[in-house]
Amino acid sequence: MRTGQFEASLEEAKLYPQLWRLGLGLLLIAFVFISASAMLIGAVVALAGLIDPMYTVHTTAALTRIQATAQGYGGIDSPLAVFLLLITFVGLFIGPMLAAAAFHFRDPGSLFGGWQDWRDGFLTALAVLIPIYALVLGVTYLFDPPEANLALSRWLRYLPLALPLIFVQTAAEELLFRGYLQQQLAARFAARWIWMVLPAVIFASLHWSPAAGANLPIVLASALIFGLIAADLTEQTGSLGAAMGIHFGNNSFGMLVLATGETITGLALHVSPAPIDQTGPQSLAMAASILILLLVWWITRRLLTR
């Protein structure tokens, strides 16, 4: 049985649930994502060249770093490269809303759920996650201090741009996987493994990273469990608020406060001394992060469904 809140959130999705519409919608999302990314990055490169030719060199180096990371060679260790990566998610943020309107004649806002439910879910998830993550980080800093990365003054200057872009990145992924894809599949199929598990599996597969080495199974398991957690919260509340809140909080801590070595470290205040592919303590830490995420999910779920 699906919750009444989730069924109510599917009212518009059920009007035009045909799979061919979903397929065309996914193609549109891919097109918007790729074209918007190219235009935005091109605009940044052009603007950099107008300001100072040396900025073009730095921008090109940042793009090269992103490409190398995608191929499994090291992490994204410069602030400019991280900002460029995050900017590409603007197209993915817009794409699902355009697809919902163009092929399913839906109000784009229906992907989010009701405003009050979204707000309550988002704020509740952050209220649960922040103190738990802060406590875990405090223990980590006490017993196994990480390496300093950015100077505090420089880090603070980046926050006003970094936080909105991380929100766009995490919201874009939730709009695609727990919004558009999960909702349209649920409008067409009753089987939970199709509308809940399949989007989570696709989400996890996109986290495949050769740089993780022997820890790749843990990385994929973490992404899969997160996808299932986000799908469950979306069903329980009938909105994307809680899923977006946990996603935003998790990525903000992981990208801005304490980043894992050889991942996206360019905006982090501190970096773990062990790279992502190192087994032993690093593997245990990554496995423990899954348990912490499950704790956040359980408390958030209890608070929102009581």
Side-chain angles (χ1 to χ4, degrees):
M1 283 289 294
R2 302 195 296 211
T3 65
Q5 294 93 323
F6 187 58
E7 289 291 350
S9 73
L10 300 177
E11 286 184 2
E12 292 193 31
K14 290 178 178 179
L15 296 176
Y16 298 95
Q18 293 85 356
L19 290 182
W20 65 266
R21 294 179 184 275
L22 176 61
L24 289 177
L26 292 174
L27 288 176
L28 176 62
I29 292 169
F31 172 77
V32 172
F33 173 54
I34 294 170
S35 58
S37 298
M39 287 189 292
L40 288 169
I41 290 177
V44 171
V45 173
L47 183 61
L50 290 174
I51 296 174
D52 189 329
M54 280 304 299
Y55 289 169
T56 302
V57 175
H58 295 319
T59 305
T60 302
L63 293 173
T64 302
R65 181 67 266 165
I66 294 173
Q67 182 180 15
T69 301
Q71 296 171 347
Y73 301 104
I76 302 177
D77 54 5
S78 77
L80 179 58
V82 179
F83 280 130
L84 288 174
L85 176 65
L86 293 174
I87 285 172
T88 64
F89 284 88
V90 170
L92 193 63
F93 181 86
I94 297 171
M97 291 186 281
L98 289 177
F103 296 109
H104 308 277
F105 306 104
R106 296 178 56 180
D107 173 7
S110 66
L111 293 173
F112 293 85
W115 160 244
Q116 184 172 342
D117 292 333
W118 185 93
R119 181 199 62 193
D120 292 346
F122 186 82
L123 295 178
T124 299
L126 285 180
V128 172
L129 182 145
I130 289 173
I132 292 176
Y133 274 43
L135 177 61
V136 172
L137 286 171
V139 173
T140 300
Y141 280 42
L142 182 63
F143 292 100
D144 187 18
E147 299 174 352
N149 188 45
L150 290 180
L152 180 60
S153 59
R154 189 182 181 194
W155 182 77
L156 290 172
R157 289 200 303 270
Y158 289 145
L159 279 186
L161 180 58
L163 285 172
L165 285 177
I166 292 175
F167 175 81
V168 169
Q169 178 254 317
T170 53
E173 293 183 356
E174 292 308 312
L175 279 170
L176 173 58
F177 291 102
R178 262 64 67 178
Y180 183 67
L181 190 56
Q182 177 170 317
Q183 289 174 13
Q184 288 303 144
L185 286 174
R188 179 65 178 80
F189 300 100
R192 188 173 293 268
W193 72 267
I194 296 178
W195 60 264
M196 184 176 184
V197 177
L198 183 59
V201 170
I202 298 173
F203 174 78
S205 68
L206 295 178
H207 287 75
W208 182 282
S209 173
N215 287 326
L216 181 59
I218 303 177
V219 171
L220 295 177
S222 177
L224 177 61
I225 290 170
F226 179 86
L228 294 173
I229 284 173
D232 175 73
L233 290 174
T234 300
E235 181 200 358
Q236 293 297 316
T237 63
S239 85
L240 296 181
M244 284 187 176
I246 289 181
H247 205 158
F248 174 67
N250 181 76
N251 283 26
S252 294
F253 271 93
M255 294 175 65
L256 297 178
V257 182
L258 177 59
T260 303
E262 298 297 322
T263 60
I264 304 175
T265 61
L267 293 175
L269 188 61
H270 292 92
V271 176
S272 67
I276 190 172
D277 62 347
Q278 182 173 312
T279 56
Q282 180 65 285
S283 302
L284 292 175
M286 293 168 66
S289 69
I290 297 177
L291 297 178
I292 295 167
L293 184 62
L294 288 170
L295 176 62
V296 171
W297 160 72
W298 181 77
I299 296 175
T300 302
R301 192 180 197 268
R302 290 289 298 272
L303 290 174
L304 291 173
T305 58
R306 63 183 178 180

